[in-house]
Amino acid sequence: MAILIILGVVLAVLLLLWFGFAVKIVKQYELGVLFRLGRVRGVRAPGFHLIIPFVDILHRVSLRVITKPIQSQGIITRDNVSVDVSAVAYFRVVDAVKSVVAIENVHAAIDQIAQTTLRKVVGRHTLDDTLSETDTINLDIRRILDVTTAEWGVQVTLVELKDIQLPETMKRAMAKQAEAEREKRAKIINAEGESLAAAALGDASDTMTAHPLALQLRNLQSLVELGVDKNTTVVFPAPLMSTIAELGSFIARETAAAAPSARPDPPPTRAIRPTGPDRDVPAGDERLATRA
């Protein structure tokens, strides 16, 4: 009787162990690749599955997008500048059987192929292209990786350059270049402003030439603006001084023209005839002009 009990207990334990090895749970984001005696027997969908212990092997393959950082690579660009470039790649498994059968470790393989592809693609470009055309470089790397990883049942969804480290000497040179570029733009903008201001002043001068009174009004406005700050110094612009001089000349001319008409008429003259022996002198010679 005791032997039967012991056998029953052993059988129950063996049954539990068998059940534990036979039951497999595949998660929603996974697929199971079933091997039976070393041969692929198919793919198992997410859910509950029973396999034959020690005969069947079930490999679970994740279908989620995997982030793979690409280590910083020392790269020499086409214009012989040494830079350190790091990137990040995003990929996912699209064929579970190929990802298990075609390659031993798909993650390590993608890491290595991404590093070599990054070095090759960036080396084709100059430094300026590497800094400005990152989108083009990302597409080139992704296209090359897709061709290689398609045989592994993996699809590269995105590749992005993460960091570009430049030598200190190159950073200083680029800083000087950027500063010179900003100074050039500032000078161009200043010259354009001077040109527009000169054109506006030319139009204003033409208007004031056609309307002299406008210049006088502008001079008076300037005096008003100077007086706002309670300034004790009064500045008379040159046009105003010339106007005052012209006004003085006009007054002098008017005074000189009016002066002859204001003089009194000279008194009438009379002829004085001499008496005595010289009375026979002609009358024309005898006249003397006397002043009243």
Side-chain angles (χ1 to χ4, degrees):
M1 190 66 179
I3 297 176
L4 293 176
I5 295 174
I6 295 173
L7 290 176
V9 172
V10 172
L11 185 60
V13 171
L14 291 176
L15 184 61
L16 290 175
L17 291 175
W18 180 87
F19 188 78
F21 285 110
V23 172
K24 298 295 181 180
I25 304 298
V26 179
K27 299 179 182 179
Q28 182 64 39
Y29 55 84
E30 294 176 338
L31 284 179
V33 180
L34 182 64
F35 288 85
R36 178 168 295 170
L37 298 176
R39 297 175 62 89
V40 177
R41 303 300 296 178
V43 177
R44 297 297 182 261
F48 177 84
H49 298 281
L50 286 175
I51 65 174
I52 302 173
F54 309 107
V55 176
D56 294 343
I57 298 175
L58 186 68
H59 287 278
R60 298 182 182 90
V61 179
S62 176
L63 301 180
R64 292 179 295 183
V65 175
I66 300 173
T67 303
K68 176 62 67 175
I70 304 175
Q71 297 179 0
S72 180
Q73 303 293 312
I75 304 171
I76 298 178
T77 60
R78 194 175 65 182
D79 52 351
N80 296 324
V81 178
S82 178
V83 295
D84 293 333
V85 182
S86 61
V88 59
Y90 299 87
F91 67 93
R92 65 187 182 91
V93 176
V94 294
D95 192 328
V97 176
K98 286 184 178 180
S99 67
V100 176
V101 176
I103 191 166
E104 179 181 1
N105 189 337
V106 66
H107 298 278
I110 290 178
D111 186 21
Q112 296 299 320
I113 192 64
Q115 292 182 21
T116 56
T117 304
L118 174 64
R119 187 181 298 108
K120 180 171 60 177
V121 173
V122 174
R124 298 175 183 171
H125 297 76
T126 62
L127 178 61
D128 292 338
D129 294 340
T130 303
L131 297 175
S132 60
E133 298 181 3
T134 55
D135 293 340
T136 303
I137 295 175
N138 295 335
L139 291 176
D140 292 341
I141 296 174
R142 177 186 172 186
R143 190 182 307 112
I144 295 173
L145 290 178
D146 275 339
V147 174
T148 305
T149 59
E151 299 178 358
W152 305 339
V154 176
Q155 180 185 15
V156 179
T157 59
L158 183 64
V159 176
E160 291 288 340
L161 296 181
K162 185 169 63 174
D163 190 19
I164 301 176
Q165 293 292 334
L166 301 176
E168 292 297 330
T169 55
M170 184 58 62
K171 289 181 180 179
R172 289 193 294 268
M174 294 181 66
K176 291 181 181 179
Q177 180 183 1
E179 184 178 359
E181 186 68 23
R182 288 193 295 268
E183 290 181 357
K184 182 186 75 173
R185 290 199 299 267
K187 290 180 180 179
I188 292 174
I189 293 173
N190 188 22
E192 291 177 351
E194 292 291 340
S195 177
L196 294 176
L201 289 176
D203 295 339
S205 64
D206 294 340
T207 303
M208 290 182 180
T209 302
H211 304 280
L213 184 59
L215 181 60
Q216 304 304 323
L217 293 176
R218 183 57 186 160
N219 291 332
L220 295 175
Q221 181 65 28
S222 299
L223 294 178
V224 172
E225 293 176 357
L226 289 174
V228 171
D229 297 333
K230 299 181 180 180
N231 198 346
T232 58
T233 302
V234 178
V235 180
F236 290 95
L240 181 60
M241 299 302 297
S242 62
T243 303
I244 294 175
E246 292 175 359
L247 181 61
S249 300
F250 174 76
I251 295 174
R253 289 197 301 270
E254 292 296 326
T255 303
S261 60
R263 292 180 183 175
D265 296 333
T269 58
R270 60 180 181 176
I272 302 177
R273 292 182 178 275
T275 59
D278 297 332
R279 59 184 303 167
D280 294 333
V281 177
D285 298 331
E286 293 174 356
R287 286 186 245 172
L288 296 175
T290 62
R291 186 178 301 273

